[in-house]
Amino acid sequence: MGIKDEMQEKAQQAKQKMQGKQDAARQRGQSEQEQLRQRAEQARQQGQQSFDDIQDDLDDRT
């Protein structure tokens, strides 16, 4: 195996390692986005529930 072949092999390994890190980062980003979406949905539901409770209390008073 010549020096050129060794360098090409090392370059290929580095490229694969970089691709693996990028894929892992992309998956982490998607997971974090999903968690944020879920938290936002929960907050929206809690806000709606609070609003509904207040509206029910007001309706009971009238």
Side-chain angles (χ1 to χ4, degrees):
M1 183 185 294
I3 292 176
K4 183 178 177 183
D5 292 335
E6 288 179 31
M7 295 304 288
Q8 285 179 338
E9 185 176 331
K10 285 184 181 184
Q12 184 65 29
Q13 289 173 350
K15 184 178 177 182
Q16 290 173 344
K17 186 176 179 181
M18 174 78 88
Q19 186 66 42
K21 286 183 179 183
Q22 288 175 341
D23 290 345
R26 192 175 299 115
Q27 283 198 337
R28 271 195 314 275
Q30 289 174 346
S31 175
E32 290 170 1
Q33 283 283 351
E34 183 58 33
Q35 288 175 349
L36 289 174
R37 248 185 249 116
Q38 288 176 354
R39 285 188 205 143
E41 178 63 22
Q42 287 174 346
R44 187 193 66 74
Q45 288 176 351
Q46 287 175 349
Q48 183 64 45
Q49 183 63 41
S50 295
F51 178 78
D52 290 345
D53 290 345
I54 292 169
Q55 197 169 24
D56 288 344
D57 286 346
L58 290 174
D59 288 346
D60 290 344
R61 292 180 185 176
T62 57

